[in-house]
Amino acid sequence: MCLKFGKSNNLTRVSSEERKKNDDIDRMIRKDRKTQAKNVKILLLGAGESGKSTILKQMRLIYTDGFGTHERKEVRQVIFSNMVVAFKIIGEEMRDLGLDFEYGDSLKYEAIISNQDDIGLEDSFPKDCLVAMKGLWKDPSVKQTMRRGNEFALHDNIAYYYSNIDRLFATGYIPNDQDVLRSRLRTTGITETLFELGQLTYHMFDVGGQRSERKKWVHCFEGVHCLLFVAALSGYDQCLVEDKTANQMHEALMLFESVLSLPWFRKSSIILFLNKMDLFQEKLVDKPIRDYFPDYSGADEDVEAAKAYFAKKFRGLNRTPDREIYVHYTNATDTNLLKITMKSVQDTIIQNNLNKYIL
């Protein structure tokens, strides 16, 4: 009997240890689930030149520590490259249009810019380029070519940088927030930005929008809580960087339709940012929408009718009756507007998909 008792006591002790181990594992699982439940995965999609990367930069400025001095110096290099490349493209396209420079010094100025090397991390912008860029900007043929920039996907940041050219070329210049937002570096691969908003931690993934980059998107699809699709309203008259025969808005609509049909997003919140409202309003005066979208029936300069027209086009691509498309009109370079918009986006995510994340 003593032997039996000893075995029973030993079994009881083992059973107790196993229960404790199991309880510890259960607690760890619950803790991991609770932590995971407060992480929100947002996938930022859109065609090239839509403003996706600018929105990601805004998230850093609004919700994190922003950009340090070293990063701003790196952006300074990008800004100078953006300006040089823009003038090179204008020169090439000007000749394709059969135009010649009208001012005698313009060829000399063009050569200075064309032969300019990239600047180093600690370098200021070279002063000879300041004179050259100012000279070229005044040439009537350059101005005429720029007015047709939609035909060759001229980046929309060149006018902003030129309007601040003296500040940019000042010795010791460090880009401010707006300069950083306007800088253009093509997104390749996948970029993740982490930020906290309320009780949730957001993981926002930006992937390249050009056609060659889209095959990489599939690796981001699993476990997405919110799809944030960005389309540039101002692209209604513009060609693609990678294809002059394709229209940016048509491309965005086709891409949006294909994304909505994917099984990964059937239960995800769908947020649509119709971006670059400022540029869109400016264009309506000189570039009637019906020249590019013949079925548009609103007045040429009616901003509200034009906005509603494109929103309806995107919403009409949704083939899932119980899935709503939440539309926001944005300027990705307007920090205050985007802060308000993101608060609304957060409310949408929580109300529709993530109530469990704040329990």
Side-chain angles (χ1 to χ4, degrees):
M1 289 186 63
C2 289
L3 184 58
K4 279 187 178 180
F5 177 80
K7 283 186 177 181
S8 176
N9 188 49
N10 189 47
L11 288 171
T12 302
R13 185 168 60 252
V14 170
S15 178
S16 176
E17 289 175 355
E18 287 179 348
R19 280 199 303 271
K20 184 178 182 303
K21 187 180 293 185
N22 289 337
D23 289 344
D24 289 342
I25 293 172
D26 288 342
R27 275 194 295 271
M28 289 176 63
I29 291 173
R30 286 195 299 271
K31 184 178 179 182
D32 289 342
R33 283 177 178 169
K34 188 174 181 181
T35 300
Q36 192 64 32
K38 294 193 176 185
N39 284 277
V40 181
K41 185 175 181 180
I42 299 178
L43 187 57
L44 194 60
L45 297 183
E49 307 303 312
S50 61
K52 295 185 296 83
S53 298
T54 306
I55 288 171
L56 208 62
K57 292 175 192 173
Q58 286 280 26
M59 297 303 99
R60 289 190 59 182
L61 290 172
I62 296 170
Y63 301 113
T64 73
D65 295 331
F67 297 86
T69 301
H70 182 83
E71 284 182 290
R72 290 176 187 269
K73 288 180 178 180
E74 291 178 329
V75 171
R76 179 171 61 191
Q77 295 175 286
V78 173
I79 292 171
F80 182 68
S81 175
N82 286 173
M83 297 181 73
V84 168
V85 168
F87 276 102
K88 286 181 179 179
I89 291 174
I90 290 168
E92 293 168 1
E93 296 297 331
M94 188 187 77
R95 290 178 176 85
D96 286 346
L97 293 171
L99 300 174
D100 294 315
F101 289 120
E102 294 192 25
Y103 292 166
D105 287 335
S106 292
L107 278 173
K108 177 184 69 175
Y109 293 148
E110 183 185 36
I112 291 172
I113 295 171
S114 296
N115 295 323
Q116 180 61 51
D117 294 327
D118 293 335
I119 62 171
L121 185 68
E122 300 297 334
D123 295 339
S124 295
F125 293 1
K127 298 298 184 183
D128 57 342
C129 275
L130 174 62
V131 175
M133 288 179 181
K134 282 187 171 182
L136 277 186
W137 193 266
K138 295 175 183 176
D139 193 292
S141 292
V142 170
K143 291 183 178 296
Q144 185 177 343
T145 303
M146 286 187 64
R147 283 195 292 271
R148 297 179 63 175
N150 62 303
E151 298 175 23
F152 53 92
L154 180 67
H155 289 161
D156 48 41
N157 61 5
I158 182 61
Y160 167 80
Y161 286 136
Y162 186 80
S163 68
N164 291 275
I165 196 167
D166 289 319
R167 177 172 62 83
L168 270 56
F169 274 83
T171 302
Y173 155 70
I174 298 293
N176 61 28
D177 288 348
Q178 194 62 213
D179 299 340
V180 172
L181 291 171
R182 303 269 184 168
S183 65
R184 182 72 181 91
L185 187 63
R186 176 176 168 175
T187 303
T188 57
I190 301 167
T191 303
E192 179 184 4
T193 295
L194 186 71
F195 60 93
E196 293 184 357
L197 185 55
Q199 299 181 54
L200 305 178
T201 300
Y202 289 80
H203 300 258
M204 186 175 281
F205 295 87
D206 176 26
V207 292
Q210 281 78 17
R211 289 171 175 174
S212 61
E213 291 293 314
R214 293 176 193 168
K215 60 182 179 293
K216 302 173 184 177
W217 290 6
V218 70
H219 303 294
C220 297
F221 287 171
E222 188 175 359
V224 170
H225 303 108
C226 174
L227 169 64
L228 203 167
F229 192 94
V230 186
L233 279 173
S234 60
Y236 72 90
D237 72 326
Q238 291 184 227
C239 68
L240 300 181
V241 171
E242 63 268 40
D243 183 359
K244 289 184 180 180
T245 66
N247 176 280
Q248 278 189 23
M249 183 61 80
H250 284 298
E251 183 80 2
L253 287 162
M254 287 188 292
L255 180 58
F256 189 63
E257 183 176 26
S258 66
V259 168
L260 288 182
S261 68
L262 295 172
W264 293 284
F265 303 129
R266 284 177 185 156
K267 296 183 179 180
S268 302
S269 294
I270 309 294
I271 312 291
L272 174 63
F273 277 12
L274 293 178
N275 194 33
K276 301 190 179 183
M277 271 295 302
D278 51 344
L279 299 176
F280 178 63
Q281 292 181 44
E282 292 172 8
K283 280 188 175 184
L284 289 180
V285 178
D286 300 315
K287 301 284 183 69
I289 292 175
R290 61 175 47 85
D291 287 354
Y292 306 90
F293 291 83
D295 63 332
Y296 175 69
S297 59
D300 288 344
E301 297 179 29
D302 189 336
V303 176
E304 294 305 314
K307 286 163 52 178
Y309 167 77
F310 284 113
K312 183 178 179 180
K313 270 196 168 299
F314 278 96
R315 282 196 174 109
L317 299 173
N318 180 25
R319 309 293 186 230
T320 306
D322 59 345
R323 179 175 60 188
E324 186 172 350
I325 309 298
Y326 299 90
V327 179
H328 298 273
Y329 302 99
T330 60
N331 292 325
T333 54
D334 186 332
T335 303
N336 289 330
L337 175 60
L338 205 60
K339 188 184 297 185
I340 295 168
T341 304
M342 282 307 298
K343 178 62 172 65
S344 179
V345 168
Q346 181 199 25
D347 292 343
T348 299
I349 293 172
I350 292 174
Q351 290 170 11
N352 290 277
N353 299 300
L354 303 174
N355 288 315
K356 63 181 180 180
Y357 293 103
I358 56 174
L359 295 178

